[in-house]
Amino acid sequence: RVVKTTLAKRAVEGTDFECIQGELTGSLVLAFSQEDPGAAGRVISDYAKDNEKLLLSFYNRLGNIYNKVEEFDKSDEAFNKALKIDPNNPLILNNYSWALTERIQNLELAEQMIKLCNEKEPDNYNYQDTYAWNLYKQGRYVEADNWLKLQLAN
């Protein structure tokens, strides 16, 4: 069944699936199974094997969701699977960098990833914001302030 993302957001509101609301944007595939929870995932996984763009989106969203529910090892695993497919994908690098920065883990790795994003897309305010946040979390406040000013200018 095809539904608009706004309807899907309402459907999961107040349920155990509410944590995915932020990921219900754009074009996506979402599947549920009441009898066998793994069945829905297998159907999507089998389809995605032949669709690299969908697989990247799947792992990115999975990484974000696992990070939100504090399943950090699974989050890292999902982001790393995405980076194996496309190691220079700015969206994946940004989201993974943000996740690591938020939990104050591997800040140096997070900085390397977000630096690459800013080199690829120097006017992207989302990447500038992530870089400022990373620098702030490292205690590099003057640099963070400079990047925040740049981000606000965009």
Side-chain angles (χ1 to χ4, degrees):
R1 170 186 264 206
V2 177
V3 298
K4 294 201 174 271
T5 54
T6 52
L7 181 58
K9 287 179 183 179
R10 286 184 189 160
V12 299
E13 197 170 293
T15 72
D16 291 340
F17 299 104
E18 192 167 20
C19 64
I20 69 169
Q21 279 187 320
E23 300 305 317
L24 297 175
T25 60
S27 299
L28 63 103
V29 177
L30 185 64
F32 293 96
S33 173
Q34 291 180 335
E35 289 112 33
D36 179 10
R42 285 190 295 277
V43 169
I44 293 172
S45 183
D46 289 345
Y47 174 77
K49 286 178 186 173
D50 296 326
N51 188 326
E52 189 173 276
K53 189 175 178 182
L54 179 62
L55 201 54
L56 276 172
S57 178
F58 173 74
Y59 286 132
N60 181 48
R61 291 172 192 267
L62 195 60
N64 287 331
I65 291 167
Y66 277 134
N67 194 64
K68 285 177 188 172
V69 297
E70 299 182 359
E71 293 277 349
F72 300 132
D73 289 340
K74 290 179 180 179
S75 174
D76 293 349
E77 182 181 342
F79 283 128
N80 283 317
K81 284 182 178 181
L83 290 173
K84 282 183 183 176
I85 296 167
D86 186 354
N88 296 311
N89 184 296
L91 179 62
I92 308 294
L93 290 166
N94 177 69
N95 290 346
Y96 193 11
S97 178
W98 182 267
L100 290 172
T101 299
E102 275 290 291
R103 48 183 137 121
I104 313 172
Q105 290 181 332
N106 295 323
L107 291 175
E108 296 80 18
L109 173 62
E111 182 182 0
Q112 290 171 0
M113 290 190 289
I114 197 58
K115 263 187 180 178
L116 182 59
C117 294
N118 281 290
E119 289 169 7
K120 289 179 155 292
E121 296 182 28
D123 295 327
N124 187 309
Y125 63 89
N126 289 309
Y127 302 159
Q128 293 164 350
D129 180 63
T130 300
Y131 195 30
W133 188 234
N134 177 272
L135 292 168
Y136 178 84
K137 289 287 192 166
Q138 291 186 61
R140 294 161 56 189
Y141 304 120
V142 173
E143 290 174 88
D145 185 55
N146 290 336
W147 277 91
L148 190 57
K149 288 175 184 172
L150 181 63
Q151 184 258 343
L152 292 173
N154 284 324

